[in-house]
Amino acid sequence: MPRAEVGTPKYLANKMKAKGLQRLRWYCQVCQKQCRDENGFKCHAQSEAHLRQMLVVGENAGRHIADFSSEFQHDFVQLLSRRFGTKRVKANNVYQEYIQDRSHLHMNATRWVTLTEFVKHLGRIGVARVDETEKGWFIAWIDNSPKALAKQEASLKKERATTSDEQRERMLINEQIERAAASTSAEPSPPPAEEGLKRDESTEKVVLSLAPKVTPKTSSSSGLTIKLKPLNRANPLKPANPPKRPNVLKATATPTPEVEKVAGKKREAPMSASERLMFEDQEKKRRRMEREAVA
């Protein structure tokens, strides 16, 4: 039975019946025909048109499969980049949106049998970042366009310009500290043993004295012992030989001879010159008064 022409009532009826997704195993990619059941797909596979198309494809099957694979990859990556951008999304969700178009290229015509193998292929060639979790395979598109690369480079230059020299030095110091910590943690050293304060009894007792120590020097050549007095350090604020001031009270006071005991005997202390003059004057007065009394 020939295919209904476009725009005829039969064509519209077939389109209404084929609305929605059908089974992938009942789709013929060579003829681009979707069958509604297994019997319809069997009849299509035995038709003359299908056999002629299979003869054409069989002459160079590898090239046709490669073309179908590249077309499927292009359409899938284009949907991923435009619909989700560089966001991380589940691979099955992208595939469900891709197959919503009835005229899409089916995966059974490509060299990939399952979606997992196709996702791994995208990760190997660097088109997307792929990771596997408990919920399934997740995929994120990598934007390698010249415009995106130029934008990324401009943002890096701006960040380097805004970063001050102090921040750079701080970052270098932190990196050095991390490397040093990593190297020390690789070879752990035993912790030092804790020792309390210990007192050594064999050491001499320390005595602190503020008085100057004088060491007398002796000369034994002539048998005489000479003691050297310690040198008095002069105060730079005081004069070397200050003048002596006479004591007025001592000069005007009456002489009072002092008596010292020497070897059990009393002896008068020697008088000064002023006391001697006063004493002689008193003696002259006393003698003059005695001569007047006798006369």
Side-chain angles (χ1 to χ4, degrees):
M1 184 177 179
R3 180 178 299 181
E5 296 181 2
V6 179
T8 60
K10 184 65 174 178
Y11 176 81
L12 295 177
N14 292 337
K15 285 293 183 181
M16 292 177 63
K17 292 178 182 178
K19 187 177 180 180
L21 296 177
Q22 303 294 324
R23 293 290 183 91
L24 182 60
R25 62 181 179 176
W26 297 334
Y27 181 81
C28 179
Q29 185 65 50
V30 177
C31 302
Q32 296 183 0
K33 180 177 177 59
Q34 176 69 55
C35 301
R36 288 192 291 270
D37 53 7
E38 187 176 358
N39 188 29
F41 184 76
K42 183 179 179 180
C43 293
H44 170 73
Q46 294 175 358
S47 64
E48 184 179 357
H50 177 75
L51 294 176
R52 284 198 305 266
Q53 290 291 337
M54 291 302 295
L55 289 175
V56 174
V57 172
E59 293 178 358
N60 195 351
R63 183 174 62 83
H64 285 80
I65 293 176
D67 293 342
F68 290 149
S69 301
S70 61
E71 185 179 353
F72 177 80
Q73 178 180 339
H74 176 266
D75 295 343
F76 187 90
V77 174
Q78 189 175 15
L79 175 65
L80 176 65
S81 60
R82 293 180 178 179
R83 173 69 175 81
F84 301 98
T86 57
K87 294 188 298 183
R88 181 174 175 267
V89 65
K90 197 172 182 179
N92 192 27
N93 296 343
V94 183
Y95 181 72
Q96 293 297 329
E97 290 194 13
Y98 174 76
I99 64 178
Q100 286 180 3
D101 184 10
R102 295 186 68 253
S103 62
H104 72 278
L105 182 67
H106 290 67
M107 189 179 286
N108 60 353
T110 63
R111 58 182 178 179
W112 302 292
V113 180
T114 60
L115 180 63
T116 302
E117 294 181 2
F118 175 66
V119 170
K120 290 181 180 179
H121 169 72
L122 293 180
R124 283 194 298 268
I125 63 177
V127 176
R129 288 185 293 269
V130 179
D131 59 326
E132 183 182 8
T133 61
E134 297 179 355
K135 296 182 179 181
W137 288 89
F138 283 81
I139 188 173
W141 178 57
I142 300 175
D143 191 0
N144 293 327
S145 60
K147 185 177 180 180
L149 295 176
K151 184 177 180 181
Q152 185 178 3
E153 186 177 357
S155 63
L156 289 176
K157 288 182 179 179
K158 184 178 180 180
E159 185 179 357
R160 293 193 193 100
T162 54
T163 305
S164 61
D165 296 338
E166 184 178 357
Q167 293 177 351
R168 294 176 186 172
E169 292 179 0
R170 189 181 297 109
M171 291 171 61
L172 291 175
I173 291 172
N174 292 335
E175 291 178 359
Q176 293 177 1
I177 292 173
E178 291 177 359
R179 287 197 297 267
S183 61
T184 52
S185 61
E187 298 178 358
S189 58
E194 297 182 358
E195 296 183 358
L197 297 176
K198 294 183 180 181
R199 182 176 180 181
D200 192 1
E201 300 294 340
S202 61
T203 57
E204 297 180 358
K205 185 178 181 181
V206 179
V207 179
L208 180 62
S209 178
L210 300 178
K213 187 176 181 182
V214 180
T215 56
K217 297 182 180 180
T218 59
S219 60
S220 59
S221 59
S222 60
L224 299 177
T225 302
I226 301 174
K227 295 183 179 180
L228 299 179
K229 295 182 179 180
L231 180 62
N232 295 327
R233 297 181 179 179
N235 192 348
L237 299 179
K238 294 183 179 180
N241 296 321
K244 295 182 180 180
R245 296 180 180 179
N247 193 349
V248 181
L249 299 177
K250 186 176 181 181
T252 57
T254 56
T256 55
E258 297 179 357
V259 180
E260 297 180 0
K261 291 184 179 181
V262 180
K265 297 182 180 180
K266 293 182 180 180
R267 183 177 64 84
E268 294 183 358
M271 294 183 297
S272 61
S274 60
E275 292 177 351
R276 190 181 302 106
L277 291 176
M278 293 176 64
F279 184 72
E280 291 178 356
D281 189 15
Q282 291 178 1
E283 287 291 332
K284 288 179 181 180
K285 287 181 180 181
R286 186 177 58 79
R287 290 173 185 173
R288 188 172 61 251
M289 290 176 65
E290 288 179 356
R291 283 198 301 269
E292 289 178 358
V294 172

